[in-house]
Amino acid sequence: MNFMRNAAKGLFIVFLTVVMTGCGNKADGGTKSSKEGLPTIAISGSTSVGPLAEKLAFKYEENNDVKIEINQIGSSAGITNAINGVSEIGMSSRDLKQEEIDKGLKDTVIAYDGIVVVTHPTNKVKNLTLEQVKKIFTGEVTNWKELGGDDLEIVVVSREDGSGSRDAFQEIVDYSSGELVRSAIIASGNGNIKTTVAMNKHAVGFISFEYIDESISTIDIDGVQATAENVLKQQYKLARPFLFVHMDGGVTDAGQKFIDFILSPDGQVIVSETGAIPVNES
């Protein structure tokens, strides 16, 4: 009898444990999947615009019933996704090409950004003309001593094909992909360029203003420092827009409200805090 009584108690305890565990899982599941069932805004594209978009999305989701998914895959890929309906919004760090506009794409400038030429912190060269930058990236100048630096071979680090930063940089500096020095290291994303340059005394690359830190040294262009103020004054030449792109009529109400938030005073404060340049200051 004692055996039967103990067995029954054991079964009852197991039953209670299962029920309570199940309830606990449901509660936990409700917390973890709190965004399930909400409108989703799919955004993909530029790795330059991406960090800014993520900060804006995080802040916006705090006060709005919406889920924002951001995939940093490069400007051209994001533009293609927007055209094909894979993403509601594409992110681009270059202007749209005419053939993309002809397909029905519209763009909204959410911020402006500068592109800065960067070197290893020990590099003595701190100022270059735009023409000298061109000669470096096309292989006409191959040693830092030709520019007042140490006797070190120059290692060029560039972005991958399809990068909005690369397209914008090449357009402003005035050289084509075919003219890029063949020995150039190709790095995917601003972060990879920064890391590569920070670890190589020979290296030179270009990154978005947002990625500037003490691990690399920045180069003035034609005597003008890479600052937001100089971009707004149109004195610093390496600058471009940050765009959200979408098909004409292809933005949902949720997507439009997010864009409206970004362009609002609150949204533009976040833009400024991330190191990008607000559109309402231009």
Side-chain angles (χ1 to χ4, degrees), residues 51 116-121 157-159 185-201 203-218:
V116 60
V117 177
V118 294
T119 61
H120 190 272
V157 187
S158 183
R159 288 289 302 278
I185 296 172
I186 304 301
S188 177
N190 285 276
N192 286 332
I193 282 193
K194 184 177 73 173
T195 300
T196 302
V197 172
M199 296 176 64
N200 190 331
K201 293 182 179 181
V204 60
F206 55 88
I207 59 175
S208 169
F209 273 21
E210 296 172 88
Y211 288 81
I212 296 174
D213 62 28
E214 295 179 353
S215 70
I216 41 85
S217 178
T218 61

Side-chain angles (χ1 to χ4, degrees), residues 44-46 73-83 91-94 97 100 160-164 167:
S44 65
S46 169
I73 55 175
S75 293
S76 293
I79 289 169
T80 299
N81 279 353
I83 292 173
M91 302 180 292
S92 178
S93 55
R94 64 165 172 81
K97 299 174 183 178
E100 294 165 345
E160 74 283 4
D161 280 328
S163 158
D167 289 344

